[in-house]
Amino acid sequence: MRSSSVAIVVAVAVAGLVAALKDRAEFKEMLSLGGLEHGPAPQFMLMGRVTGPEISPKPQIDLQAIADRLQAASTVPPAPQASESGGDLADNPVTIAQAPQQQPTTAQPAKPAQPKVDESALRYFASRGDKARLQAEIARLQALYPNWVPPADPLAVPQNGDKQLEQMWQLYSEGRYAELRKAIADRQASESGWQPPPDLLDRLDVAEARARLVNASDLKQYATVVQIGANTPSLLTCSDIDVLWRVAEAFARTDRASRAKDTYVYILTNCTNPQERLATVQKASALLPYATMQDLLALERPDGNGGREFDSIRNDLARRFVAAGNDDPNLVVAPAYLSIVRRLAETDGQPSDSLLLGWYQLRRDNYADAEKWFRASRDKEDSAIASQGLALALIAEKQPREAEAVMYKWRSTSKEATATYLAATANLMALQPPADLSEEVLSRIAAETIAQKYVPTAQQFGWFARTLNQPQTAARWFETALRWKPDDEPSAYGLAITRQQLHDRAGVAEIQRLWAGKSDRIAQLGEATSRQTTQAPLPAPGQTAPQASAAAPPEIVRAPSERLEGAGPPAGVAVARQQAMQTVTVRRGARQVRGCTTTTNAQLLAPEAALSRGWCLMDINRPMEAVKAFEAALASPNRRTREDAAYGQSLAYLRAGLSNNAAVAATKAPQTQQRAAELQIAILADRALAAFDAKRYREALIFLDQRAQLRQEPIDLMVLRGYAYLNMKMYGDAERIFTAAAATGSKDANRGLADLRAATHPDTVD
């Protein structure tokens, strides 16, 4: 019987152990964060998996070996039995599997034994009236012991009568952990065998871990925060929401946004305090990106009053999301958030809301909308940031004049403001036709350009001066730009063509020498002579420039102010096409006119003879016949002959007024850069004349602008430009052009001024 009893006891113990192990596995599964999707909501958040590789699983427990050891420790040799079956029991002991069959009632308990719960802390907090700690303790015990039911009256829990232990609990509740450690050590030293309650030690360990975590968080030691949280999962409960917030922030600050999101999702899924949930979303919005925040907001709950629990912070969230869109041009913020900010900007009157919308639209190249919101912000409060945004929108909309005026007073507030102002000045000086700027504006732009040594605006000053026929001033500005940036090729080219205009061959040669092999268009300019230059030598591209003080400062570009009056309005503007051809330099040998007066089929001639006949026909002004002769010459195997033929055919088409055909002919054989440029200038001038004759004035201005980029506009084309403005009723631009041209003594320009007065003040014309 003793053997049977031992076997039964062993079976009961093993069955209890199996049940306990099973409950532990289920408990761990319940606490796993993955259970949010596949199981019951966890009561606290486990973080062990974030500290590194998964720890290898523990070895499997050999239940049979444990049972054998228990039986060996508790079994005594049986007394001899008279029963026939006694030998069978000794030789064939009862196995664990057989025990339940012999004693089914005893070997199979109905349910696992209830765990022993230390409720001393519960009673202590209840006696002190500390409801917050009492509730936290109940939640903790329920998480650890799912089958535990809290007492209806915690004060009714029997007291242990241990005054020293009560004092220890008091030290714990007051956060005096070091003193508590000392009190435990002192009592263990004075009372041999005394041990503190395991619950007190566990809670003390957790409390000290929490203190270390908070300290690490305050010191921004985020890796330490994560490590402590992973090692102390009992800290991560809804009863201590501050720890969860700190852990989430640590994840976000260490570039683990997905884990930060997991923490916030855990809070919004399991924690119920409305104020804490609201604060959770606010904290998350400051750390997580826009897309992740949308996932968190999907966990929002109704507030019970027909609204949603985060409605009170919806406006602030919308502002934050639009601001995120300002930082990332590729981020598309939901229209609902944009509508909220738009409503706030229109009703609340805060300039910051208008600024948010302005920058959001500017980042997405919606310049008209951006201008609208920046203006709205400036109307409420004229600030540097609003002016900067407005200036950028105006520059993009090709309104640099207003952009310069808007940014001038804010130009020194920051590096970004200075850069915006200088960009506005460069764009303003580059306008075509040139803007009519006052002396005040020109002076302040020049002063700021020199102060900041801003090359783009200095270069544009040079081109601006050339447009107003002030080559000496233009040369000074180009030289200044090159002193600031010796490798600025456009400034070097501008200086070269300006010196060429001033007949300074030595100056042109100096530039060509410095830029040899670096700029083809500079190398192609004219013929250089060996005459010594009288100007200061330029710095070589890429080398250190001499001090700016060594040269005279550039002059301020001044618009012509003299206005000459003509005798009366002419019948119209007469610009001969031959004047457009003056820009083309034809270099060819002398030819006799005789030999092309008779009609001959050019296709029957040799290519060289056809080329000579073509030039002969051009000399007697028979361009269409010359076209056919040059076409025959294009069949020559000689490259130089083909080039001359294509060049001549282009000129013939231009003489006939067929600029499109001329452009096609120019592509029939490769041309030198100089010839190609001359042809392009002539073609653009001819197209401008044709468009003007067809009353397509805007198109004529486009061709004139394109030509002006290649070569300075002659007076006759300036007059043509002025009449184009006049016919488009752009009287201010027309007056500026006519005035500038009239200052050179042009009679056609004076007639243009008279026509302008007749159009704008007809009552004053006799």
Side-chain angles (χ1 to χ4, degrees):
M1 289 300 293
R2 178 175 298 180
S3 174
S4 300
S5 300
V6 170
I8 292 172
V9 170
V10 171
V12 171
V14 172
L17 179 61
V18 172
L21 290 172
K22 180 179 179 182
D23 288 346
R24 175 170 178 169
E26 294 175 353
F27 179 62
K28 291 180 66 177
E29 178 64 24
M30 180 187 70
L31 297 182
S32 173
L33 188 58
L36 289 176
E37 298 179 358
H38 306 292
Q43 298 303 308
F44 60 83
M45 181 179 177
L46 289 179
M47 292 180 51
R49 66 179 184 275
V50 306
T51 62
E54 292 290 342
I55 301 174
S56 59
K58 296 181 180 179
Q60 296 294 325
I61 298 175
D62 190 344
L63 298 180
Q64 185 62 47
I66 294 175
D68 292 342
R69 287 198 297 271
L70 288 174
Q71 183 177 12
S74 58
T75 302
V76 295
Q81 299 290 333
S83 171
E84 295 180 359
S85 61
D88 295 338
L89 288 174
D91 298 336
N92 302 291
V94 179
T95 64
I96 295 176
Q98 293 172 330
Q101 297 176 0
Q102 296 178 4
Q103 300 290 337
T105 304
T106 305
Q108 294 184 358
K111 59 181 179 179
Q114 289 291 334
K116 183 179 180 181
V117 178
D118 184 355
E119 298 178 343
S120 57
L122 193 70
R123 184 196 59 76
Y124 176 79
F125 294 136
S127 65
R128 294 297 187 272
D130 192 341
K131 295 182 179 180
R133 288 180 178 270
L134 177 64
Q135 185 60 40
E137 178 66 7
I138 292 175
R140 188 183 71 88
L141 293 175
Q142 286 179 326
L144 293 174
Y145 310 106
N147 297 324
W148 175 75
V149 177
D153 182 8
L155 292 176
V157 176
Q159 299 187 17
N160 53 27
D162 191 335
K163 297 301 182 181
Q164 287 184 286
L165 185 58
E166 289 289 325
Q167 292 176 354
M168 292 180 185
W169 278 113
Q170 183 174 357
L171 291 174
Y172 168 79
S173 66
E174 294 173 356
R176 298 156 63 183
Y177 306 130
E179 296 180 42
L180 175 56
R181 287 284 185 193
K182 184 177 183 303
I184 293 174
D186 290 345
R187 184 167 182 180
Q188 286 179 325
S190 61
E191 296 183 24
S192 178
W194 180 86
Q195 293 295 329
D199 182 54
L200 178 60
L201 291 178
D202 291 343
R203 292 178 65 85
L204 180 57
D205 290 340
V206 171
E208 289 175 335
R210 185 189 190 282
R212 293 196 305 273
L213 185 147
V214 171
N215 182 64
S217 176
D218 292 340
L219 295 176
K220 303 186 185 306
Q221 298 172 351
Y222 299 116
T224 303
V225 173
V226 173
Q227 185 65 42
I228 295 173
N231 294 336
T232 320
S234 58
L235 276 175
L236 308 179
T237 66
C238 293
S239 61
D240 198 346
I241 199 74
D242 181 64
V243 170
L244 288 172
W245 288 338
R246 291 174 183 271
V247 170
E249 180 185 11
F251 278 131
R253 300 293 188 189
T254 53
D255 298 326
R256 286 181 278 185
S258 62
R259 297 308 314 276
K261 173 188 172 183
D262 290 343
T263 308
Y264 290 125
V265 167
Y266 169 82
I267 296 173
L268 295 177
T269 304
N270 297 281
C271 305
T272 58
N273 184 286
Q275 289 75 26
E276 292 176 348
R277 292 173 60 82
L278 193 68
T280 297
V281 172
Q282 290 176 307
K283 290 177 179 294
S285 65
L287 296 170
L288 298 183
Y290 170 81
T292 304
M293 281 303 303
Q294 305 316 301
D295 295 336
L296 295 184
L297 291 173
L299 301 175
E300 185 178 17
R301 299 171 181 174
D303 62 1
N305 298 319
R308 306 289 290 175
E309 61 178 328
F310 303 144
D311 284 345
S312 61
I313 60 172
R314 194 85 59 195
N315 293 347
D316 291 336
L317 289 175
R319 291 184 175 109
R320 187 177 294 277
F321 295 153
V322 174
N326 296 345
D327 297 333
D328 182 5
N330 298 320
L331 176 61
V332 179
V333 178
Y337 297 124
L338 291 172
S339 298
I340 291 174
V341 179
R342 189 179 299 113
R343 173 179 53 79
L344 293 172
E346 294 171 348
T347 57
D348 289 1
Q350 295 185 20
S352 58
D353 292 329
S354 298
L355 273 180
L356 284 174
L357 293 170
W359 287 112
Y360 183 85
Q361 299 298 342
L362 184 68
R363 300 293 191 204
R364 285 147 186 80
D365 300 336
N366 299 325
Y367 302 121
D369 290 339
E371 178 188 352
K372 166 190 169 184
W373 289 113
F374 284 130
R375 288 190 186 279
S377 180
R378 290 184 81 244
D379 290 343
K380 298 165 187 173
E381 180 185 356
D382 187 5
S383 63
I385 189 66
S387 299
Q388 182 181 345
L390 178 58
L392 291 173
L394 291 170
I395 292 172
E397 293 180 300
K398 303 188 184 305
Q399 301 180 51
R401 183 198 296 265
E402 186 179 357
E404 188 275 338
V406 165
M407 276 304 296
Y408 179 69
K409 78 172 184 176
W410 301 105
R411 67 192 184 284
S412 302
T413 55
S414 66
K415 291 182 179 180
E416 292 76 13
T418 301
T420 302
Y421 176 74
L422 292 174
T425 63
N427 281 273
L428 175 57
M429 301 305 298
L431 282 179
Q432 287 295 329
D436 185 11
L437 303 177
S438 66
E439 294 287 339
E440 177 187 1
V441 173
L442 283 171
S443 297
R444 74 189 189 192
I445 293 177
E448 195 67 23
T449 301
I450 294 172
Q452 301 295 333
K453 295 184 178 181
Y454 190 61
V455 173
T457 302
Q459 180 198 129
Q460 292 302 331
F461 259 115
W463 297 113
F464 184 80
R466 282 181 55 81
T467 303
L468 298 182
N469 198 26
Q470 299 177 14
Q472 293 85 359
T473 302
R476 290 284 185 85
W477 277 108
F478 287 132
E479 291 168 359
T480 300
L482 285 170
R483 281 194 296 274
W484 295 340
K485 190 174 187 294
D487 60 348
D488 187 46
E489 193 272 348
S491 293
Y493 177 71
L495 180 58
I497 62 175
T498 303
R499 287 184 177 179
Q500 188 179 52
Q501 180 184 357
L502 294 170
H503 307 291
D504 181 6
R505 295 183 179 179
V508 174
E510 173 70 8
I511 299 173
Q512 289 178 319
R513 180 185 66 80
L514 293 172
W515 287 86
K518 300 180 180 67
S519 173
D520 290 338
R521 61 175 178 172
I522 292 178
Q524 297 292 333
L525 284 175
E527 296 292 336
T529 66
S530 60
R531 181 168 59 89
Q532 295 296 323
T533 179
T534 59
Q535 302 189 27
L538 297 172
Q543 296 180 354
T544 303
Q547 295 296 325
S549 59
E555 301 174 4
I556 304 300
V557 180
R558 302 183 186 279
S561 58
E562 182 182 6
R563 299 178 182 273
L564 304 178
E565 297 184 3
V573 59
V575 181
R577 294 188 183 277
Q578 287 77 6
Q579 292 176 324
M581 292 290 296
Q582 290 175 358
T583 60
V584 180
T585 302
V586 180
R587 296 184 177 88
R588 58 183 187 273
R591 290 176 299 278
Q592 298 293 330
V593 175
R594 184 170 48 187
C596 64
T597 56
T598 59
T599 302
T600 302
N601 186 353
Q603 299 296 327
L604 302 177
L605 300 175
E608 284 71 16
L611 178 64
S612 179
R613 179 176 175 80
W615 290 121
C616 178
L617 291 169
M618 287 288 288
D619 287 339
I620 62 176
N621 200 24
R622 290 161 61 179
M624 295 311 297
E625 293 181 59
V627 166
K628 296 180 181 179
F630 288 128
E631 184 68 30
L634 284 169
S636 172
N638 185 278
R639 180 181 63 83
R640 181 61 181 272
T641 300
R642 292 196 305 273
E643 290 178 2
D644 288 345
Y647 180 60
Q649 192 175 57
S650 296
L651 295 179
Y653 277 127
L654 283 172
R655 182 77 60 84
L658 302 174
S659 56
N660 290 336
N661 299 69
V664 174
T667 64
K668 292 183 178 180
Q671 300 293 325
T672 65
Q673 186 173 2
Q674 184 176 0
R675 275 187 175 182
E678 290 173 347
L679 286 174
Q680 187 176 6
I681 290 169
I683 290 170
L684 289 171
D686 191 78
R687 286 176 173 175
L689 290 166
F692 185 90
D693 292 341
K695 299 183 179 181
R696 301 193 304 270
Y697 304 116
R698 189 175 300 278
E699 185 178 339
L701 289 173
I702 293 174
F703 290 132
L704 289 175
D705 289 342
Q706 293 174 351
R707 186 196 177 282
Q709 296 294 324
L710 300 174
R711 182 166 297 177
Q712 183 180 3
E713 201 164 78
I715 299 301
D716 57 320
L717 290 182
M718 285 183 67
V719 174
L720 182 71
R721 180 188 291 275
Y723 272 99
Y725 285 134
L726 178 60
N727 284 283
M728 293 173 64
K729 298 183 179 180
M730 299 172 63
Y731 299 128
D733 291 324
E735 180 181 10
R736 176 170 48 80
I737 295 297
F738 284 140
T739 301
T744 66
S746 170
K747 295 182 180 179
D748 288 335
N750 284 315
R751 294 192 188 97
L753 287 172
D755 287 340
L756 177 62
R757 286 192 296 273
T760 56
H761 302 88
D763 296 338
T764 62
V765 180
D766 296 334

